[in-house]
Amino acid sequence: MTTTDASAAAASTGAAQAVDTAVRAAAASGLERTSRAERAGWLRAIADALEAHRDELVALAHDETHLSEARLTGEVTRTATQLRFFAGVIEEGSYLEAALDSPDASLVPPRPDLRRMLRPIGVVAVFAASNFPFAFSVLGNDTASALAAGDPVVVKAHPGHPELSRRVAAIAREALAAAGGPVDALVLVGSEGGASGMETGVELVRHPLVRAVGFTGSTRGGRALFDLAVSRPDPIPFYGELGSINPVVVTPAAAAEDATGLAEGLAGSFTRDGGQYCTKPGLVFVPAGTGFEAALVAAAGEAPAQRLLTAGMTAAFAAGVGELGARDDVEVLVAGTTDAPGDSASTVVATSAAAFLAAPEAFQTEHFGPLTLVVRYDDAAPGGDLDRALAVLEGSLTGTVRHAAADGAALADDAELVERATAALSRVAGRVLYNGWPTGVAIAWAQHHGGSWPASTASVHTSVGATAIRRFLAPVAYQDAPQQVLPAELRDGNPAGVPRRVDGVLQA
Ligand code: NAP
């Protein structure tokens, strides 16, 4: 063995040991045996602590991510809101899907006493995102929904904000301790024992006590870890929220009515915070020959260049812009410039629907940063080039239809096209929205933040909204069980007071 081999082996062992210590501590925290009321109280205590440290944390996040303090201040509020939201979700109790069937020997086959509900699954590994250092990071949606479910969490810190991750984890653990909660319900790992972050992440996904993984990041990294999770001797679910281009369809009537308003709205959305949103509108179908493009050139040309999260992302963005711009079938409409080295400028490129149809994969690669691709279509009639282009769309988190002017006035001319676009977009996107921009993701019971591959590795689940908790729960049906072994939520008389379906009838 060479010296290099020996130090790599030692680092790998270091990562394995550190991850093992973290996962075993989390597994021993006993969170799954706590009550919904206790966990709701702890989630609120963590939210309060996060907000109490807002100024300190925003300054730290600003240094590490270059995101503006205004944006980060709002993100702290969002993160605290998410934690409190999941406290409310578990108090309400319908997430348990409690169902009871009484025994009936006259049925064929006979029915025993059956009582089913969702239960915590064990330790959840969470890979924090780079682009939301609070809301999709150490205390983000994955962590909040897993803790609410009763699952302890081991977070793999994102290397783009390591100090912030350490501080947020410490504040959360202090808050848990002060509120009498199990401190090890939340444990952080980073680059452990001299190993790389990647080695630490691999050890985490492989650990036998880890029962599920939540991930937000690149398609490549997510795919590698997904493959690892499902090729374990005991495969575990991997919930990856990956790349998304978020197609937008601008109808002819909408472009004719208010091309300038639409273009300004689009420019604001795709350049917001450096275009570093999983919901950035990166592909826009626009009728050819309208004033929309000129208005977009004017609006996007005014957007300031911005520093992206990491040097790696800056380089990847520049490479992607270069590759697109070099294509014969692409016209560069806005090639923003910047005097500040390291900043990335707003970029708009355009192609035709025919070119898009000839190379749909090349035009659906996510470019993480301030870039959008306009696809000009000629024929919005059924079976025209717009329909054909929409038919080859890949999975996305969102799909948008702009069928009315910015003032929201209804445009009846496009009603039939709106129905066709809805059908095409709802085939591939988890959220279809009308006359808005997709970048904001509300925290709500009806929210869905997911979609088909490559937007997500699990198209039936969401990482935002109340049902995000469903990822970290597994059903158990108890048959003819004695009362004392049943969870309170399934006992006679409903002592826990949760909504239940009894003999097929929903009881609030
Ligand atoms: P990333 O490279 O996928 O990394 C995310 C996390 O996964 C990091 O903790 C990383 O660890 C870990 N990881 C990645 N590949 C791994 C592997 N093969 N084995 C073990 N661990 C692995 O994502 P990123 O750093 O946030 O950004 C890179 C690109 O992802 C961006 O340029 C963008 O295209 C995309 N992205 C998309 C979204 C979205 O919401 N759609 C969000 C963020 C990023 P280490 O870095 O420590 O090795």
Side-chain angles (χ1 to χ4, degrees):
M1 193 184 272
T2 65
T3 315
T4 317
D5 288 343
S7 54
S12 180
T13 308
Q17 284 171 351
V19 166
D20 185 58
T21 304
V23 175
R24 287 188 188 283
S29 70
L31 189 70
E32 73 281 6
R33 292 188 295 278
T34 61
S35 70
R36 290 178 292 119
E38 284 173 312
R39 295 199 298 278
W42 297 331
L43 288 169
R44 292 192 176 104
I46 294 172
D48 292 348
L50 188 70
E51 290 194 311
H53 290 84
R54 182 194 303 268
D55 293 347
E56 171 206 345
L57 295 175
V58 165
L60 200 47
H62 177 64
D63 281 351
E64 291 192 316
T65 66
H66 323 298
L67 292 169
S68 74
E69 293 189 355
R71 144 75 197 269
L72 292 164
T73 299
E75 201 184 318
V76 171
T77 303
R78 178 189 178 96
T79 311
T81 301
Q82 284 167 182
L83 290 158
R84 295 186 184 113
F85 176 74
F86 279 109
V89 166
I90 56 174
E91 281 172 339
E92 188 268 350
S94 63
Y95 79 99
L96 295 165
E97 298 177 13
L100 293 79
D101 285 312
S102 351
D104 188 341
S106 70
L107 294 174
V108 181
R111 190 174 66 199
D113 180 299
L114 279 174
R115 303 178 189 220
R116 174 194 187 271
M117 67 177 256
L118 302 181
R119 308 272 296 148
I121 53 171
V123 178
V124 171
V126 170
F127 283 75
S130 53
N131 56 339
F132 277 89
F134 293 107
F136 288 80
S137 190
V138 176
L139 286 180
N141 273 294
D142 289 351
T143 300
S145 53
L147 292 179
D151 300 314
V153 172
V154 178
V155 179
K156 156 70 173 71
H158 194 281
H161 49 271
E163 284 308 319
L164 177 70
S165 302
R166 273 191 276 279
R167 195 64 193 113
V168 168
I171 289 167
R173 286 168 59 89
E174 280 162 24
L176 273 171
V183 173
D184 287 335
L186 179 70
V187 185
L188 185 76
V189 293
S191 300
E192 300 293 340
S196 68
M198 197 175 278
E199 284 166 313
T200 302
V202 165
E203 293 300 337
L204 186 57
V205 173
R206 276 194 185 140
H207 196 285
L209 290 180
V210 167
R211 304 317 310 158
V213 184
F215 174 95
T216 308
S218 67
T219 305
R220 199 165 77 167
R223 181 68 206 224
L225 291 170
F226 170 85
D227 289 344
L228 198 62
V230 298
S231 61
R232 286 168 45 132
D234 56 337
I236 54 171
F238 182 93
Y239 302 107
E241 194 229 290
L242 314 176
S244 185
I245 50 155
N246 307 299
V248 178
V249 177
V250 177
T251 68
E257 166 103 356
D258 185 20
T260 304
L262 284 171
E264 285 172 355
L266 174 64
S269 185
F270 90 83
T271 64
R272 186 174 157 193
D273 294 315
Q276 299 168 109
Y277 283 96
C278 49
T279 49
K280 178 197 76 173
L283 179 66
V284 190
F285 294 95
V286 181
T290 64
F292 180 86
E293 280 184 34
L296 184 59
V297 168
E302 281 173 17
Q306 294 175 70
R307 178 112 175 255
L308 301 189
L309 292 161
T310 65
M313 288 181 188
T314 307
F317 181 70
V321 169
E323 224 169 272
L324 268 181
R327 292 181 67 101
D328 291 342
D329 51 5
V330 163
E331 189 183 335
V332 178
L333 299 181
V334 177
T337 53
T338 168
D339 295 332
D343 280 6
S344 298
S346 307
T347 306
V348 180
V349 294
T351 194
S352 65
F356 178 82
L357 278 161
E361 279 183 25
F363 286 118
Q364 293 187 77
T365 302
E366 182 190 35
H367 297 282
F368 200 65
L371 177 142
T372 198
L373 168 67
V374 172
V375 178
R376 303 161 178 144
Y377 66 84
D378 292 307
D379 185 1
D385 60 357
L386 176 60
D387 266 7
R388 291 200 303 279
L390 296 181
V392 299
L393 285 178
E394 294 175 357
S396 253
L397 294 169
T398 71
T400 301
V401 185
R402 296 294 318 213
H403 66 93
D407 66 4
L411 292 170
D413 293 357
D414 284 336
E416 193 272 334
L417 171 57
V418 171
E419 281 177 29
R420 268 185 290 127
T422 299
L425 294 173
S426 48
R427 184 178 56 78
V428 293
R431 178 164 57 104
V432 182
L433 62 142
Y434 302 85
N435 294 332
W437 299 107
T439 10
V441 184
I443 303 155
W445 286 81
Q447 186 56 277
H448 187 77
H449 191 59
S452 311
W453 173 265
S456 159
T457 59
S459 61
V460 297
H461 288 283
T462 178
S463 64
V464 181
T467 54
I469 198 171
R470 183 69 182 77
R471 299 170 299 168
F472 304 129
L473 294 159
V476 177
Y478 299 89
Q479 182 171 326
D480 295 328
Q483 286 288 306
Q484 70 271 21
V485 304
L486 287 169
E489 289 86 351
L490 293 180
R491 287 189 195 155
D492 289 348
N494 196 4
V498 294
R500 312 198 296 186
R501 189 172 289 279
V502 179
D503 292 330
V505 179
L506 195 59
Q507 298 183 348

